[in-house]
Amino acid sequence: MINKVKLARLEKSLTQSELADLTNVTRQTIGLIEKGQYNPSLKLCLDIAQVLNKTLDDLFWEVES
């Protein structure tokens, strides 16, 4: 399943490096978030959501099936 942050980033035609620059983190941090191997701070979640024009729910809410 594709990560919601990655999907939103691709919809905006941004690279991991570009998103990292816009949110003041490293490309590696964005990569780890997209792999589900890093839990970002609330501030970083808000920054990512703002850059990608999404809500926190759009990007980070997990729906159990």
Side-chain angles (χ1 to χ4, degrees):
M1 183 172 130
I2 192 164
N3 178 279
K4 293 178 189 179
V5 173
K6 182 175 184 176
L7 183 61
R9 175 179 60 77
L10 293 173
E11 286 174 357
K12 297 279 282 183
S13 299
L14 292 172
T15 66
Q16 286 183 344
S17 294
E18 290 168 335
L19 180 56
D21 288 344
L22 292 168
T23 55
N24 298 311
V25 295
T26 64
R27 184 205 54 78
Q28 290 83 356
T29 298
I30 299 299
L32 290 172
I33 292 169
E34 290 182 357
K35 289 180 186 176
Q37 297 177 351
Y38 180 82
N39 288 323
S41 67
L42 180 56
K43 181 187 181 326
L44 180 52
C45 290
L46 289 168
D47 290 345
I48 291 170
Q50 183 176 22
V51 168
L52 298 176
N53 294 322
K54 299 286 185 180
T55 66
L56 290 176
D57 285 353
D58 291 339
L59 297 176
F60 298 104
W61 187 257
E62 297 286 331
V63 178
E64 294 191 25
S65 4

